[in-house]
Amino acid sequence: MKYARYVVLWLLFLGLGPFLTGKLWARPSKCEECHAKITPGIVKQFQRSKMYKTLTCASCHGKSHQSEADVDKAKLPTIETCKRCHAKQAKQYMSGKHFLGWVAMEAMPTIHMQPDPVTKGRKGCGGCHSLGATKEAKASKYYPRYAMDCQNCHTRHTFSVKEAREPEACMTCHMGFDHPQWEMWSTSKHGAAYQIDRLLGIPIEERRGPRCQTCHMPNGDHRVMTAWGFLGLRVPEDDQEWWQWRVSILKALHVLTPDGKFTDRINVVKAGKVARLTKEEWQAERQRMEKICHQCHNMNFVKEQLHQADMMLRAADQVMAEAIEIVADLARKGIIKHPDGNPYPDLLRFYDTPYEIEQKLYMMFMEYRMRAFQGAFHMNPDYSHWYGWAEMKKTLAEIKELAREMEERHAAK
Ligand code: HEC
Ligand code: HEC
Ligand code: HEC
Ligand code: HEC
Ligand code: HEC
Ligand code: HEC
Ligand code: HEC
Ligand code: HEC
């Protein structure tokens, strides 16, 4: 009876296992039986999930809802639901930038002017930004009802790792107008090398080109964060010339007052981690990235490439600052009027401005400046140059021309 001990342990495991892992009923569960008729697609997708072995529908949705009559009682899972069994990924995720997606979006001054479909209807901002469903976020009347973070890369109900590892998992949000990382990556040398190896049937670990996850989720780390971030604005800055240009940009974001003092918006920047606010913080993220590139390139090459991308941002900031000051001058002369009396336009109002010249400025900031530096960091000279830098220069010329016309019209009045 040498093995009796093990037999008892096995029996205990088989008996308790389902309770420990949340499987409450035999298969198929009552939920599955009924839902195979009501929503067969969901049941099939879940059957493909690795979790199907040990979980049932009730593990995530609770068991209060049992029939057509009490559908309201079904719970919709949150990060806390997954955290019970995946604490590591949940904690990493919650310490990264994705978890702040809602905070950053709701801090925009014109968000409350957007129609419901754009926010809680998920047909605009809310379709990509309902990330970080904290209690406070969920309490907002703008928060979508169906919005669960983890399924953004592991879509329901398959919840697959293989799917999340492919760059297409990021594509739906990181594309388009102001952050076309998908377009930039997929048409870069990195994207080409990756996609060709995938077409050739080479296993994922052996494909030569890096994918989004290689650089932004190394070793499966669910905390995403970069040095420059979306806006490419670090504070402080040693390069004095560059700092002066950035001051103009920060004034146009109303993070600085016209005479250069921090406004309340700096608290939003802090809360949403919108910019790195110490040199050390910036440097730590940069070094993390350099190590990743170093797996496939030598360090001199890496530093040179990233430095040139930083310099692309610097060049873009010079043009941006010049354009901002032209528009601010019009306001100082009374040709443009802002309700708050601040001569600087508010770039965070995006397209909600009545002036054509400010619409152009918004395009320059959100589309062209973004492409100029994001393209540089994603090894895409076409995006960086033609869709970024070239458009900035073209728009600057247009802004100068418009400003001249506005001044002439004003003088003739
Ligand atoms: C007798 C049939 C039946 C059974 C049993 C059943 N459901 Fe449902 N469930 C429904 C119907 C009907 C709906 C509404 C579907 C629709 O409108 O398309 C629904 C909706 C849901 C929803 C969506 C809720 C929402 O707010 O959108 C979830 C989640 C759900 N069921 C989970 C479960 C779970 C978990 C179980 C088992 C504990 C279960 N169901 C058992 C019939 C059933
Ligand atoms: C591992 C957790 C998990 C399990 C197990 C699970 N679900 Fe879900 N389910 C989710 C998540 C996450 C959502 C999305 C919630 C949101 O967007 O707020 C969801 C949403 C739903 C919805 C509403 C959205 C839609 O597409 O209609 C229904 C219905 C549903 N689940 C039914 C089921 C059924 C039936 C089963 C069992 C076959 C099941 N779920 C098993 C996590 C789970
Ligand atoms: C009751 C525990 C439990 C809960 C709750 C739970 N999981 Fe899991 N999950 C597991 C187990 C166990 C596995 C491992 C299955 C295996 O490898 O056989 C797993 C595996 C996974 C995997 C890897 C699948 C693969 O393809 O290798 C993902 C992704 C995942 N879960 C996501 C989620 C998400 C998202 C939620 C919340 C909506 C969630 N899980 C809730 C227990 C749970
Ligand atoms: C297609 C999906 C999508 C839509 C729609 C969208 N965003 Fe975003 N947004 C993103 C992504 C992805 C990022 C991060 C991009 C980056 O870092 O390059 C982002 C970044 C931001 C940031 C900067 C966050 C930070 O902390 O750096 C703000 C603020 C923001 N979005 C607000 C909005 C608002 C307001 C709307 C609607 C008017 C909106 N977004 C619409 C996907 C979207
Ligand atoms: C931005 C995309 C993204 C989001 C959002 C995301 N994951 Fe993942 N997840 C991944 C990737 C990529 C991997 C594969 C990492 C690797 O290469 O090993 C992964 C792997 C996993 C695994 C498998 C780990 C293993 O070692 O097998 C689990 C479990 C998991 N995620 C759970 C979650 C949970 C829980 C959430 C929500 C808190 C979540 N994920 C949100 C992209 C994501
Ligand atoms: C549901 C939409 C969505 C998906 C899918 C998504 N992201 Fe994001 N991502 C966002 C939003 C929104 C932000 C900005 C978050 C904020 O404002 O804090 C963001 C921010 C980021 C950032 C941080 C940029 C910074 O400010 O430093 C990185 C890096 C990132 N995502 C990478 C990825 C990768 C890699 C994937 C795929 C594995 C992915 N994302 C999938 C919406 C998404
Ligand atoms: C070869 C590595 C690499 C790959 C692959 C890669 N990125 Fe990046 N990504 C970077 C670098 C480098 C930066 C800038 C980091 C910094 O600020 O120092 C960056 C920045 C970002 C940012 C912040 C804004 C910006 O564009 O500068 C987001 C968001 C992002 N990447 C998402 C993605 C997504 C989504 C993919 C896949 C479609 C992807 N990245 C592929 C290296 C990579
Ligand atoms: C997983 C390996 C891998 C990683 C990680 C990686 N690269 Fe690459 N890189 C490649 C491959 C493969 C090519 C295509 C080879 C070629 O162009 O001859 C390439 C090409 C390039 C090119 C195109 C220029 C040239 O010489 O053809 C640049 C620039 C570059 N990488 C920079 C970077 C930077 C910067 C990072 C980090 C942010 C990085 N790479 C991370 C594999 C990688």
Side-chain angles (χ1 to χ4, degrees):
M1 290 315 278
K2 211 164 118 198
Y3 298 109
R5 211 152 44 121
Y6 296 106
V7 171
V8 170
L9 274 178
W10 253 113
L11 287 174
L12 258 176
F13 175 77
L14 289 175
L16 287 175
F19 288 96
L20 292 175
T21 54
K23 179 181 166 178
L24 304 172
W25 288 295
R27 184 150 340 256
S29 64
K30 258 165 78 186
C31 321
E32 263 178 83
E33 257 173 21
C34 183
H35 274 272
K37 285 174 252 149
I38 308 252
T39 53
I42 292 181
V43 176
K44 272 194 211 128
Q45 289 150 18
F46 183 49
Q47 283 169 349
R48 221 169 86 184
S49 169
K50 283 216 174 136
M51 286 190 275
Y52 185 69
K53 275 186 271 175
T54 44
L55 271 66
T56 71
C57 314
S59 314
C60 295
H61 293 293
K63 45 182 174 162
S64 308
H65 144 67
Q66 292 283 348
S67 72
E68 298 90 340
D70 56 11
V71 173
D72 291 353
K73 290 189 187 149
K75 278 199 227 124
L76 290 177
T78 63
I79 298 178
E80 296 304 320
T81 316
C82 321
K83 202 175 166 190
R84 271 164 39 210
C85 306
H86 303 298
K88 185 172 129 199
Q89 285 83 8
K91 277 192 197 136
Q92 289 173 338
Y93 177 84
M94 289 163 86
S95 67
K97 200 69 186 82
H98 276 145
F99 192 63
L100 296 165
W102 183 259
V103 173
M105 187 209 86
E106 228 196 8
M108 294 303 103
T110 55
I111 196 67
H112 309 286
M113 289 161 58
Q114 311 304 322
D116 274 358
V118 166
T119 49
K120 69 178 179 193
R122 309 195 63 180
K123 302 297 171 234
C125 322
C128 308
H129 276 273
S130 33
L131 306 172
T134 56
K135 259 194 201 130
E136 296 78 48
K138 286 249 173 195
S140 159
K141 68 178 181 129
Y142 305 105
Y143 206 86
R145 174 164 148 69
Y146 295 99
M148 200 275 150
D149 299 59
C150 311
Q151 63 175 330
N152 284 323
C153 301
H154 310 280
T155 56
R156 67 176 188 265
H157 275 85
T158 307
F159 301 109
S160 147
V161 163
K162 278 194 183 144
E163 172 182 342
R165 278 193 188 127
E166 292 295 346
E168 281 83 353
C170 323
M171 167 174 81
T172 49
C173 304
H174 290 275
M175 52 81 70
F177 176 63
D178 52 341
H179 31 65
Q181 283 99 7
W182 167 259
E183 293 89 324
M184 297 184 297
W185 171 83
S186 57
T187 58
S188 73
K189 267 279 171 244
H190 283 155
Y194 181 82
Q195 292 166 107
I196 288 165
D197 281 0
R198 186 164 69 176
L199 280 175
L200 295 174
I202 293 170
I204 190 160
E205 317 76 48
E206 288 161 35
R207 292 173 200 157
R208 292 160 303 152
R211 58 206 150 89
C212 321
Q213 294 86 339
T214 317
C215 296
H216 295 298
M217 297 186 70
N219 307 314
D221 187 347
H222 279 56
R223 171 188 172 277
V224 298
M225 179 93 68
T226 64
W228 281 111
F230 179 55
L231 295 176
L233 296 166
R234 70 179 166 201
V235 179
E237 178 60 62
D238 290 338
D239 179 334
Q240 278 311 305
E241 208 175 12
W242 194 354
W243 176 242
Q244 283 319 309
W245 299 327
R246 201 171 305 146
V247 163
S248 293
I249 300 174
L250 289 167
K251 286 179 183 172
L253 291 167
H254 290 205
V255 170
L256 287 177
T257 59
D259 54 358
K261 295 195 183 68
F262 280 111
T263 66
D264 280 351
R265 276 204 193 158
I266 190 68
N267 298 326
V268 173
V269 171
K270 279 182 196 156
K273 296 193 183 152
V274 178
R276 306 307 141 247
L277 297 174
T278 64
K279 271 191 210 171
E280 294 72 27
E281 213 188 340
W282 190 90
Q283 204 57 45
E285 297 301 340
R286 174 51 63 83
Q287 280 164 359
R288 197 164 74 112
M289 187 61 80
E290 286 170 353
K291 280 196 196 121
I292 295 164
C293 316
H294 198 198
Q295 291 165 25
C296 305
H297 300 289
N298 94 59
M299 206 37 129
N300 272 344
F301 176 84
V302 169
K303 286 197 189 279
E304 167 66 14
Q305 287 303 318
L306 294 178
H307 174 68
Q308 292 304 340
D310 292 341
M311 290 302 105
M312 196 70 213
L313 177 57
R314 188 183 190 275
D317 281 353
Q318 180 174 11
V319 177
M320 193 67 228
E322 188 181 347
I324 288 170
E325 293 301 337
I326 292 170
V327 176
D329 267 343
L330 292 174
R332 287 190 195 105
K333 291 174 186 158
I335 301 171
I336 280 179
K337 289 188 176 64
H338 296 133
D340 62 359
N342 187 330
Y344 284 88
D346 185 353
L347 288 174
L348 293 187
R349 295 180 68 86
F350 304 143
Y351 39 80
D352 281 311
T353 163
Y355 297 107
E356 188 190 352
I357 199 164
E358 291 191 350
Q359 293 283 353
K360 285 194 183 290
L361 199 67
Y362 145 74
M363 289 295 283
M364 194 185 217
F365 184 65
M366 289 297 278
E367 182 168 357
Y368 313 139
R369 176 179 173 275
M370 292 298 182
R371 286 168 188 221
F373 80 90
Q374 293 174 354
F377 281 119
H378 292 96
M379 317 309 151
N380 194 310
D382 190 58
Y383 263 84
S384 192
H385 190 95
W386 295 116
Y387 296 134
W389 178 249
E391 288 291 335
M392 287 192 82
K393 294 303 287 283
K394 175 169 170 264
T395 310
L396 180 64
E398 289 166 359
I399 284 178
K400 283 182 179 166
E401 180 75 16
L402 258 179
R404 195 165 53 240
E405 283 167 21
M406 287 170 84
E407 293 209 24
E408 281 165 12
R409 245 181 289 142
H410 187 71
K413 255 193 224 159

